[in-house]
Amino acid sequence: MATSSSGASSGSSTLRSSSSSEDFQPILDERKRKRMLSNRESARRSRMRKQKHLDELMAQVSNLTNHNNQIHTSINVTTQLYSNVEAENLVLRAQMTELSNRLQSLNEIIHFINSSNGVLQNDTNFDQAAYCHPHHQLNDDSLMNPWNFSTTNQPFMPSADMMMY
């Protein structure tokens, strides 16, 4: 009998655990279903955050690309302006060299004329009073004598107006 009673008790215990498992199964299934729904919702929110972050990064790439293009355009315009200024500088340097050479030649002529004054004073057609007086009237003789210029005593200085051709 002991076996039967222990068998019965063990069988009833099995029946009870079976029945208690059956009682908890719907609760466990409900918890499992809720956990799955929660996990799905969490995964959906995570995908939405990732998509939003990706969209923000794509917008940032677009903005940076536009900014980069503007910088390249600005660099190209600045480079073109620099090239134009550099070309203009070359022209101005060439003009300055040419004008400096002209100035040097004119100053040499003035120096030659000033050093030749002793020769001109011995010339019979040279009117020293007309040459020395700053407000003298030009006559035909002074126009015919190329060495008779009262304004040649001053060195020739270039002005800004001379740069324009």
Side-chain angles (χ1 to χ4, degrees), residues 31-44:
R31 285 182 183 170
K32 186 177 180 182
R33 187 183 64 78
K34 283 182 180 180
R35 190 169 47 246
M36 284 177 55
L37 284 175
S38 175
N39 287 346
R40 284 182 187 157
E41 183 62 27
S42 178
R44 185 183 68 78

Side-chain angles (χ1 to χ4, degrees), residues 78-89:
T78 303
T79 302
Q80 184 63 39
L81 290 174
Y82 174 79
S83 296
N84 292 346
V85 168
E86 190 65 30
E88 187 176 349
N89 260 353

Side-chain angles (χ1 to χ4, degrees), residues 76-126:
N76 290 338
V77 167
T78 303
T79 302
Q80 184 63 39
L81 290 174
Y82 174 79
S83 296
N84 292 346
V85 168
E86 190 65 30
E88 187 176 349
N89 260 353
L90 288 174
V91 169
L92 290 174
R93 283 188 183 117
Q95 289 176 348
M96 182 186 73
T97 302
E98 180 182 341
L99 290 174
S100 294
N101 290 339
R102 285 183 186 179
L103 176 62
Q104 183 179 0
S105 296
L106 290 172
N107 283 334
E108 288 174 0
I109 291 171
I110 290 169
H111 177 70
F112 177 76
I113 290 172
N114 287 339
S115 66
S116 300
N117 274 344
V119 174
L120 291 176
Q121 288 175 356
N122 293 332
D123 189 359
T124 56
N125 292 332
F126 180 72

